[in-house]
C-alpha cells in the first residue's frame, strides 16, 4: 500500500495552518511593516545597470566578504564578532533552531511575540515554551527566569523591540535573562532602525548573546537579507548547516549598492519615526481606540470589535493586521504599519468612517 500524507507527515506539521499572506492588490498596504518609500530614482537606475551586468550564469559569491564588511560597518558590529547571512532573518532563526533541535530540545520565547519563533521550532521538531508578558506588555522577569530554570531551553528568542506590541523591554531585565539562560539568547532587532536602542555593543560582554538584524523593515523587504552576529564559536557551527549560496547574486548586488548610500535608508527611517509620532497622536484622539506607544514602525491599538473594524477598513481599501484571537493579551487588537503621510491619512479616514458606521 502506498503511504498517504497522514502516514508520512509528522502530526505537528499536519495540524499547522500555513502562514497566511492576504491578497493586497490595489489596497493601501499597512499590514507587513514594510518601508512605504521606494529608493530614489538615481539609485534605482544605478541598480538597473549593475543588475544588467550581473553574472547570473554563475553561482553567487558564497563568502560575500565585501557585503559582510559593509554590514559590519553599517550595524556597528563589535570587533571579534562573526556575521552569518540569511535569506531573510527567518532563515537564520531556522538555522539556529535546526542546529539545536536535539530530541526534547526546548525553544523559549515570550508571548505575544514574533510567530515565526514558535512556527520554526515546530518545523524543526523542537518544543516551544512561551512565557506570557505582563498586561502592559513588559517582561515578566520572574516568570521568565522560572521558565528558564524549569525548561533549560536550548535557545531563547527576544524581539527588541517586540513584534506585535512595539515596545522595547527593559534592557536590564533582558540582560538578567541572558545571564540566566544556559544556551544562546537571540536578541532579534528587526526594528532597531526605529528604536534607538540595541544590544549590539553588549555582544562582547555576554558570550551567549547573538544579535539579529534584517534589511526587510529598513526598506529592502524584497531582497531577503538577514544578519546574525555573535561569537565565532557559535556562528561557525551554524555556518555548517547554511545551504550553499543561500544569499543570491541579485540580493548581494542590491544590498552592496544600497549600503554604499546608507543615508537613504536612515533618512527614510527618520521620516517614518516622525510619522509614527503623528499617527500615534491621531489614533489616541479617536474615541473608542486605545493606541500603544511604539519603538518600531508599526502601532498596536485596541478597539471594541477588532474583526468588525478590520473588515470595515478592508472594505474601504486599507489592509492592516488583526491580532484578535492570537493571544489573550491581544484581544480586540489591530496592528497598523506606519506608512506615508497620505497612506496614514487614508487609514485614519477609513478608521473613523468604520467606527461611525
Ligand atoms: C519581520 C520580522 C522578522 C523577519 O524578517 P525577515 O528578515 O524579513 O525574515 C524577524 N523578526 C521580527 C521580530 C520581525 O518582526
Amino acid at each position: 500500500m502506498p503511504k498517504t500524507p497522514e502516514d508520512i507527515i509528522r502530526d505537528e506539521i499536519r495540524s499547522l495552518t500555513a502562514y497566511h499572506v492576504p491578497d493586497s492588490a490595489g489596497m493601501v498596504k499597512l499590514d507587513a511593516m514594510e518601508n512605504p518609500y521606494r529608493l530614489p530614482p538615481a539609485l534605482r537606475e544605478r541598480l538597473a545597470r549593475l543588475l544588467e551586468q550581473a553574472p547570473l550564469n554563475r553561482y553567487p559569491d558564497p563568502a560575500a566578504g565585501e557585503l559582510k564588511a559593509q554590514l559590519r560597518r553599517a550595524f556597528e558590529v563589535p570587533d571579534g564578532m562573526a556575521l552569518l547571512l540569511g535569506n531573510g532573518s527567518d532563515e537564520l532563526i531556522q538555522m539556529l533552531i535546526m542546529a539545536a533541535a536535539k530530541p526534547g530540545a526546548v525553544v523559549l520565547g515570550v508571548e505575544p511575540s514574533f510567530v515565526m519563533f514558535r512556527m520554526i521550532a515546530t518545523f524543526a521538531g523542537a518544543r516551544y515554551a512561551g512565557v506570557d508578558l505582563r498586561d502592559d506588555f513588559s517582561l515578566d522577569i520572574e516568570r521568565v527566569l522560572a521558565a528558564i530554570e524549569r525548561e533549560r531551553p536550548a535557545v531563547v528568542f527576544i524581539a527588541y523591540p517586540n513584534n506585535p506590541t512595539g515596545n522595547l523591554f527593559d534592557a536590564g531585565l533582558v540582560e538578567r535573562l541572558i545571564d540566566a539562560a544556559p544556551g544562546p539568547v537571540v536578541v532579534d532587532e528587526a526594528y532597531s532602525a526605529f528604536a534607538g536602542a540595541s544590544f549590539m555593543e553588549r555582544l562582547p560582554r555576554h558570550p551567549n548573546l547573538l544579535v539579529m538584524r534584517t534589511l526587510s523593515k529598513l526598506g529592502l523587504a524584497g531582497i531577503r537579507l538577514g544578519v546574525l552576529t555573535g561569537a565565532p564559536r557559535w556562528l561557525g557551527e551554524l555556518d555548517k548547516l547554511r545551504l550553499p549560496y543561500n544569499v543570491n547574486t541579485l540580493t548581494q548586488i542590491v544590498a552592496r549598492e544600497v549600503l554604499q548610500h546608507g543615508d537613504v535608508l536612515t533618512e527614510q527611517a527618520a521620516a517614518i519615526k516622525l510619522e509614527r509620532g503623528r499617527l500615534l497622536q491621531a489614533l489616541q484622539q479617536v474615541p473608542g481606540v486605545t493606541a500603544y506607544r511604539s519603538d518600531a514602525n508599526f502601532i498596536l491599538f485596541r478597539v471594541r470589535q477588532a474583526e468588525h473594524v478590520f473588515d470595515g477598513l478592508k472594505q474601504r481599501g486599507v489592509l492592516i493586521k488583526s491580532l484578535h484571537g492570537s493571544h489573550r493579551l491581544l484581544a480586540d487588537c489591530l496592528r497598523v504599519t506606519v506608512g506615508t503621510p497620505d497612506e496614514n491619512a487614508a487609514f485614519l479616514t477609513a478608521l473613523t468612517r468604520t467606527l461611525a458606521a
Side-chain angles (χ1 to χ4, degrees):
M1 276 293 278
K3 300 279 191 198
T4 65
E6 285 71 23
D7 299 321
I8 297 292
I9 308 294
R10 287 185 277 139
D11 293 347
E12 64 271 29
I13 304 298
R14 282 192 296 116
S15 64
L16 288 174
T17 42
Y19 189 81
H20 176 62
V21 180
D23 182 17
S24 59
M27 307 276 280
V28 175
K29 191 175 183 310
L30 300 175
D31 65 326
M33 282 79 89
E34 292 145 328
N35 176 339
Y37 300 106
R38 300 196 56 187
L39 294 170
L43 183 51
R44 272 151 57 186
E45 277 163 34
R46 175 103 187 100
L47 288 174
R49 282 196 298 278
L50 288 169
L51 297 180
E52 183 202 356
Q53 289 153 23
L56 297 182
N57 55 317
R58 302 292 177 195
Y59 280 112
D61 174 357
E66 190 51 42
L67 172 57
K68 279 187 181 171
Q70 284 176 285
L71 288 163
R72 187 181 278 284
R73 284 193 293 276
F75 291 153
E76 300 179 39
V77 178
D79 289 344
M81 296 298 148
L83 276 78
L84 182 67
L85 305 188
N87 183 357
S89 40
D90 289 344
E91 193 193 30
L92 296 164
I93 301 168
Q94 187 186 44
M95 282 186 220
L96 178 56
I97 295 180
M98 254 202 301
K102 294 182 187 177
V106 172
V107 172
L108 189 136
V110 295
E111 294 278 293
S113 188
F114 187 45
V115 293
M116 292 312 286
F117 302 147
R118 174 191 289 277
M119 288 189 68
I120 294 173
T122 307
F123 301 163
R127 187 162 65 79
Y128 182 83
V131 181
D132 278 357
L133 298 174
R134 293 180 189 279
D135 287 356
D136 64 357
F137 306 136
S138 65
L139 210 54
D140 192 341
I141 191 66
E142 299 310 330
R143 282 176 80 164
V144 171
L145 294 178
I148 287 176
E149 220 24 70
R150 186 175 66 243
E151 307 283 358
R152 306 308 288 166
V155 191
V156 179
F157 286 94
I158 294 292
Y160 183 86
N162 191 37
N163 171 15
T165 55
N167 56 313
L168 285 167
F169 299 126
D170 181 284
L173 297 185
V174 176
E175 286 206 283
R176 280 177 64 191
L177 180 169
I178 294 167
D179 291 337
V185 176
V186 178
V187 175
D188 177 351
E189 298 189 339
Y191 302 97
S192 67
F194 313 101
S198 169
F199 273 73
M200 192 64 89
E201 65 174 31
R202 292 183 174 85
L203 274 175
R205 269 189 272 151
H206 303 280
N208 62 331
L209 170 62
L210 304 175
V211 174
M212 194 163 65
R213 297 281 182 94
T214 175
L215 296 186
S216 294
K217 313 295 156 63
L218 255 176
L220 294 174
I223 71 170
R224 310 298 298 126
L225 185 65
V227 185
L228 189 65
T229 67
R233 67 192 189 101
W234 285 113
L235 297 203
E237 295 301 329
L238 301 186
D239 195 42
K240 296 175 189 170
L241 56 88
R242 185 174 62 85
L243 296 178
Y245 315 118
N246 64 326
V247 178
N248 74 72
T249 301
L250 302 177
T251 295
Q252 293 196 28
I253 291 172
V254 173
R256 286 191 55 182
E257 186 61 22
V258 175
L259 286 171
Q260 275 179 33
H261 303 84
D263 45 333
V264 168
L265 300 183
T266 322
E267 282 162 22
Q268 290 181 345
I272 292 166
K273 277 164 73 174
L274 202 69
E275 254 324 281
R276 174 182 71 197
R278 294 203 192 107
L279 181 58
L280 179 69
Q281 234 182 3
L283 269 174
Q284 283 170 338
Q285 277 156 20
V286 180
V289 170
T290 307
Y292 300 95
R293 66 169 302 281
S294 165
D295 292 290
N297 65 340
F298 58 85
I299 293 174
L300 184 78
F301 63 103
R302 202 182 294 270
V303 291
R304 268 188 289 273
Q305 282 187 293
E307 292 301 336
H308 166 74
V309 173
F310 176 81
D311 290 338
L313 286 167
K314 204 167 158 188
Q315 275 162 25
R316 290 170 175 84
V318 179
L319 184 65
I320 64 169
K321 173 87 176 172
S322 173
L323 296 153
H324 182 71
S326 65
H327 189 275
R328 173 182 66 83
L329 293 181
L330 298 176
D332 280 318
C333 280
L334 299 166
R335 184 190 67 198
V336 61
T337 305
V338 179
T340 63
D342 284 354
E343 289 172 331
N344 299 336
F347 157 71
L348 287 165
T349 303
L351 179 67
T352 30
R353 286 195 184 146
T354 299
L355 292 173

